[in-house]
Amino acid sequence: MPAQQTAKYLAGTKASAAFSDNNKVKLIRGGRVYFEMLLSMIEQASENIHLQTYIFAEDKTGTMVADALMAAAKRDVQVYLLADGYASQTLSKKFIDKLQRAGVHFRFFEPLLKSRHYYFGRRLHQKVFVADGRCGMVGGLNIADRYNDMPGIPSWLDFAVFIEGEVARQLCVLCWKTWNGFPVKMEATSCDDASRKFDIVKDEASSVRMRRNDWVRRKNEISATYIEMLRHSKSHITIISSYFLPGKIIRRLLRNATKRGVKIKVITAGPSDVMVAKHAERWMYDWLLRNNIELYEYQPAVLHAKVAVCDSEWFTIGSYNINNISAYASIELNVDVRNKAMATEMENIMEDIIQNKCLAITADGHVYTKNMLIRFIRWCSYQFIRMAFYMLTFYFKQRRR
């Protein structure tokens, strides 16, 4: 049975399993650095822009990005902004009308059924920006103040990667398909411009592949990446993950990896914006500690990052949380990067976070944080989260296209 379950995760991944070598990649820490990069890319775009995000907030950061998008549209850049219809539903009609009058093509990613009080359908959880089919960014950051460094308030911890090259072209095609609702047949887009060449210097090149999870479209590629990483790791894996609630398959692979001597470190949130998820995570701490997994809680602010690094050789980064909602209920986007120097850089950043900004969770220390009432609250939270994707998401099985 375990082998059959794992096979389901791997279904539909072969077509996009190959890495592309003609890419230049840069690791970006969240906060001000990310938004400065985003604004710069918007200002430099000359043909088209795609921004697809889970949350687009009508706050200072959202207004700043919206102003940049409108300025691009006014200089005849084709701008397409797609926001999730659930998470971004607070955008006012006035705000959207202003975008559209300036020439920005705006659309909500809509569920099957929706009102002010309920939402049935998968959510657009991916965060991707692409300019001119040439360069883009993929990560975990939404467009809102809490992901930016505001005066006196540190941003939530998050990461992204800048990509220039072949994978940026693939991201552009994906954005067009998502914008158009994945038509059966689609005419060539500006992403396919044959005159656009990528001459990446060999010393700056990275092997990259785009990875998607979308249950309706039978895409389980990010889940397959984590399975590959845990199955084939040789020495160590470091994971930084908000809402860390691995399902049975990932837990089994985590246990098997530690049994063969792989050292696994997991950084989770200390302060959390979703306390029921934090309680559920802490219910799992006993299992993780019993299986020799090192645990750390990030303390300065909310942790929102989603990165895993393996053997100082490669890493995966994007919107995918290690839980069943990301695995089964949302549209997610990651990229896998094979570059030893960058993987080592990411590991060093994570080790610095562990040493200077985390609280180590030990078996002895964890005992003193729980009594019968706290254990019951954590157990209830864990059971609720396990069932949440059934309650919050309705699946419409489409015909294979």
Side-chain angles (χ1 to χ4, degrees):
M1 181 60 73
Q4 293 174 345
Q5 290 175 325
T6 305
K8 289 181 180 179
Y9 264 57
L10 296 172
T13 64
K14 293 181 180 179
S16 60
F19 281 82
S20 165
D21 294 326
N22 197 21
N23 302 280
K24 183 178 180 180
V25 179
K26 179 182 178 181
L27 183 64
I28 303 171
R29 186 101 175 222
R32 177 180 55 82
V33 175
Y34 174 85
F35 286 99
E36 286 178 349
M37 176 71 79
L38 178 63
L39 293 177
S40 176
M41 293 171 71
I42 292 172
E43 290 170 2
Q44 294 176 36
S46 60
E47 299 172 20
N48 55 73
I49 287 170
H50 286 276
L51 174 56
Q52 299 185 357
T53 186
Y54 184 55
I55 298 171
F56 198 110
E58 196 171 334
D59 55 17
K60 289 183 179 179
T61 299
T63 299
M64 175 182 69
V65 174
D67 288 345
L69 293 174
M70 289 187 288
K74 287 177 181 178
R75 64 174 190 268
D76 296 325
V77 177
Q78 293 297 306
V79 180
Y80 299 87
L81 171 56
L82 183 65
D84 183 72
Y86 171 79
S88 301
Q89 62 183 300
T90 58
L91 286 178
S92 68
K93 185 176 185 301
K94 180 180 178 181
F95 187 87
I96 295 170
D97 286 346
K98 185 178 179 181
L99 284 167
Q100 293 176 329
R101 285 198 304 271
V104 174
H105 304 281
F106 176 86
R107 182 178 297 170
F108 281 119
F109 182 88
E110 296 287 6
L112 297 174
L113 297 170
K114 169 187 160 185
S115 79
R116 292 178 61 87
H117 306 292
Y118 63 84
Y119 179 106
F120 292 108
R122 73 201 197 285
R123 300 177 185 180
L124 183 77
H125 195 246
Q126 66 187 30
K127 293 93 175 174
V128 55
F129 173 86
V130 187
D132 299 337
R134 176 175 290 279
C135 59
M137 290 196 294
V138 174
L141 290 91
N142 293 293
I143 309 299
D145 283 348
R146 56 185 175 269
Y147 302 93
N148 201 355
D149 291 306
M150 306 304 292
I153 305 173
S155 65
W156 290 8
L157 178 63
D158 219 326
F159 294 94
V161 284
F162 166 86
I163 305 170
E164 179 184 357
E166 295 294 341
V167 168
R169 191 203 312 269
Q170 295 172 23
L171 292 170
C172 181
V173 172
L174 174 64
C175 286
W176 273 114
K177 288 181 176 179
T178 308
W179 175 264
N180 287 288
F182 286 85
V184 175
K185 188 175 181 180
M186 187 172 169
E187 295 180 2
T189 70
S190 58
C191 312
D192 306 308
D193 185 354
S195 66
R196 184 175 287 118
K197 303 295 183 183
F198 300 104
D199 297 317
I200 307 297
V201 178
K202 186 176 180 181
D203 291 344
E204 297 180 347
S206 295
S207 296
V208 185
R209 64 181 176 185
M210 181 179 75
R211 306 297 269 171
R212 298 163 52 203
N213 258 46
D214 184 346
W215 188 250
V216 169
R217 302 194 180 281
R218 299 176 176 85
K219 294 291 184 181
N220 297 290
E221 296 166 351
I222 310 172
S223 302
T225 284
Y226 275 95
I227 288 173
E228 177 184 348
M229 185 175 285
L230 290 166
R231 275 183 167 178
H232 301 297
S233 54
K234 298 174 183 177
S235 62
H236 60 282
I237 296 173
T238 306
I239 298 169
I240 186 165
S241 176
S242 53
Y243 324 118
F244 182 74
L245 289 163
K248 290 182 179 179
I249 294 171
I250 298 299
R251 288 204 306 273
R252 175 168 54 83
L253 292 168
L254 285 165
R255 183 180 63 242
N256 291 346
T258 58
K259 282 183 176 179
R260 66 174 191 270
V262 176
K263 185 175 183 179
I264 299 178
K265 298 180 181 180
V266 176
I267 306 170
T268 66
S272 178
D273 62 317
V274 185
M275 281 311 300
V276 66
K278 188 66 249 179
H279 289 315
E281 279 183 326
R282 286 177 175 148
W283 172 257
M284 286 197 63
Y285 282 4
D286 287 328
W287 183 93
L288 294 165
L289 292 168
R290 281 199 309 272
N291 285 279
N292 300 313
I293 293 168
E294 294 185 26
L295 270 174
Y296 303 91
E297 285 188 353
Y298 180 76
Q299 297 300 307
V302 173
L303 183 153
H304 195 256
K306 310 100 166 40
V307 186
V309 193
C310 182
D311 294 339
S312 304
E313 292 183 350
W314 68 292
F315 63 96
T316 187
I317 184 170
S319 66
Y320 182 91
N321 294 304
I322 303 176
N323 59 43
N324 281 344
I325 293 177
S326 275
Y328 298 116
S330 300
I331 295 176
E332 306 284 1
L333 177 66
N334 271 34
V335 290
D336 297 348
V337 180
R338 287 193 179 275
N339 181 307
K340 291 184 178 180
M342 288 193 65
T344 301
E345 178 188 2
M346 187 71 239
E347 284 182 340
N348 290 339
I349 290 171
M350 294 164 99
E351 189 60 31
D352 179 70
I353 289 170
I354 287 172
Q355 295 298 324
N356 298 302
K357 297 184 178 180
C358 283
L359 174 67
I361 306 300
T362 63
D364 290 341
H366 186 53
V367 168
Y368 294 105
T369 69
K370 56 188 181 181
N371 54 38
M372 290 300 293
L373 177 59
I374 290 174
R375 285 177 60 84
F376 179 70
I377 291 171
R378 290 174 178 174
W379 178 84
C380 290
S381 299
Y382 178 71
Q383 298 303 326
F384 172 78
I385 292 293
R386 280 185 64 199
M387 298 302 296
F389 78 95
Y390 289 117
M391 294 186 289
L392 300 178
T393 305
F394 171 81
Y395 296 105
F396 178 72
K397 293 187 177 179
Q398 300 181 354
R399 293 188 297 272
R400 186 180 293 275
R401 300 186 179 193

